Amino acid sequence: MLRFPILRYVIFLFFYGLSINSNAQINKKSPHVLVVIAHPDDESVFSVTLYKIAKEHHGIIDLFVITDGEAGYKYATLAESYYGVALTDQKIGRSELPRIRKRELKNAGHVLGVAHYYFMNQQDSHYGLDEHDPLDTSWVVKAVNKKLDKLLADNRYDLVFCLLPEPSTHGAHKAASLLALNAIAKMPANKRPLILGAITRDKTDSITEFSQYKDYEITQTVTDKPLFSVDRTACFSYRNKVNYKVIANWELAEHKSQGFTQMSMNDGDVEEFWYFKLNGTAGIAKCDSLFKLLSLVPYAQKTY
């Protein structure tokens, strides 16, 4: 009669021990993470990682969103009837989308377990590849830096996630990542969070190589390939018929005004993370412990 309660207790101790032993996992059982992004939907790149940290390991996820997302009106055709607003009209879309996209992001954040949102409400002018465009023209960089510096100082984050500033990504994505890297570089070395840059990739795609963006020395990584990853295709549930792409799709579906983004449903088998040289090498083991923990699937198999 005692076998099953004892077995459950042993299993509990096993997983509890994994959590405790991973104090390497950023010196805490449950990490505190800040995500620095340009637009309210960029968090989709890390969606499963954020979900697993917040929902499976009781970490705290905060989002720092720089722009108001107003430039996302061009593909909002289907959202016009959903919201009852002529969003593809540039003037109306730019006026209404900041409000709508904040609400969409909070709905998406509810799926992921986001704790806090920090909106900088900078102008989202247009798509382009040049990071100087937002940094030199449409963003009030001084105000963004001031808020970001205060957040980093006050909250003592363990980790900061940003998008990998590789050449083909949106200039605003690169700009947001550069601001995050520079903010951390200004901090005393013993108070810096670790910062990682991420992309998603299908397993059939070639592995992206990245070691530095242009002449920005601060973007240097310790290796040209990702050191860490989270597998969205990890299977569980009855007969292993479910995987974490469900979470990625739930989260993405909340960004209903972004029709082109919606077309990426089911894309991205893995979320891959590069480790920046700015961190120093001591943090590699800490991140490794965290991502090993995130590789666990905590859902018990059931038979029927």
Side-chain angles (χ1 to χ4, degrees):
M1 295 294 292
L2 294 176
R3 284 182 305 165
F4 295 110
I6 289 173
L7 178 60
R8 285 197 295 270
Y9 182 66
V10 169
I11 291 172
F12 166 79
L13 286 179
F14 173 74
F15 283 105
Y16 182 74
L18 281 172
S19 295
I20 295 300
N21 290 335
S22 67
N23 70 343
Q25 171 208 324
I26 324 302
N27 299 321
K28 289 182 184 178
K29 190 170 53 172
S30 303
H32 194 181
V33 180
L34 179 67
V35 182
V36 178
I37 50 178
H39 309 101
D41 69 357
D42 294 344
E43 81 294 339
S44 300
V45 169
F46 329 91
S47 59
V48 172
T49 302
L50 301 182
Y51 174 86
K52 288 179 75 68
I53 289 173
K55 294 294 186 77
E56 295 180 359
H57 299 288
H58 312 293
I60 300 171
I61 304 294
D62 296 344
L63 298 186
F64 184 86
V65 187
I66 296 175
T67 79
D68 59 12
E70 67 177 66
Y73 60 88
K74 293 179 180 178
Y75 300 105
T77 306
L78 293 174
E80 290 187 313
S81 59
Y82 184 83
Y83 289 116
V85 182
L87 293 173
T88 57
D89 177 283
Q90 181 171 348
K91 185 176 180 180
I92 295 172
R94 285 189 178 276
S95 173
E96 296 295 324
L97 275 175
R99 171 184 59 82
I100 289 171
R101 295 194 69 182
K102 280 183 184 178
R103 188 168 71 198
E104 290 177 340
L105 179 60
K106 289 184 177 181
N107 290 341
H110 180 70
V111 172
L112 303 181
V114 172
H116 305 105
Y117 304 84
Y118 301 98
F119 295 103
M120 291 307 301
N121 301 310
Q122 300 297 298
Q123 184 186 15
D124 181 23
S125 58
H126 61 275
Y127 175 80
L129 295 178
D130 188 354
E131 68 279 1
H132 288 290
D133 192 352
L135 291 174
D136 297 344
T137 60
S138 55
W139 296 359
V140 183
V141 172
K142 185 176 180 179
V144 176
N145 284 339
K146 183 178 179 180
K147 179 65 174 179
L148 184 55
D149 291 346
K150 183 170 174 27
L151 272 180
L152 290 168
D154 290 350
N155 290 298
R156 296 299 302 271
Y157 290 102
D158 303 303
L159 279 169
V160 172
F161 291 159
C162 64
L163 297 182
L164 189 72
E166 48 94 20
S168 65
T169 194
H170 196 316
H173 296 172
K174 289 179 282 207
S177 299
L178 287 168
L179 292 183
L181 285 161
N182 282 310
I184 291 170
K186 290 185 297 184
M187 299 176 70
N190 64 338
K191 294 184 178 180
R192 291 175 185 169
L194 300 172
I195 180 166
L196 305 179
I199 62 169
T200 57
R201 178 179 65 88
D202 287 336
K203 291 180 178 178
T204 54
D205 294 340
S206 58
I207 296 176
T208 298
E209 294 187 359
F210 177 90
S211 56
Q212 180 177 325
Y213 176 60
K214 285 186 177 178
D215 57 350
Y216 295 100
E217 188 174 338
I218 201 165
T219 65
Q220 285 184 358
T221 55
V222 295
T223 60
D224 62 0
K225 293 183 176 61
L227 282 187
F228 313 108
S229 65
V230 168
D231 187 357
R232 291 180 173 183
T233 67
C235 295
F236 49 89
S237 196
Y238 183 55
R239 294 183 176 176
N240 280 330
K241 296 293 187 181
V242 178
N243 66 34
Y244 285 100
K245 283 196 173 185
V246 172
I247 293 299
N249 288 342
W250 281 357
E251 195 272 341
L252 199 61
E254 295 297 343
H255 295 284
K256 293 178 172 58
S257 69
Q258 301 307 293
F260 186 69
T261 301
Q262 297 287 308
M263 298 300 294
S264 64
M265 285 281 188
N266 276 326
D267 288 352
D269 295 331
V270 284
E271 298 170 7
E272 297 184 320
F273 294 81
W274 277 254
Y275 183 93
F276 292 105
K277 281 188 177 180
L278 171 65
N279 297 318
T281 56
I284 294 175
K286 297 177 182 181
C287 289
D288 188 57
S289 294
L290 172 62
F291 280 90
K292 282 179 179 175
L293 193 66
L294 296 181
S295 71
L296 299 174
V297 176
Y299 308 111
Q301 291 290 325
K302 294 182 179 180
T303 56
Y304 298 93

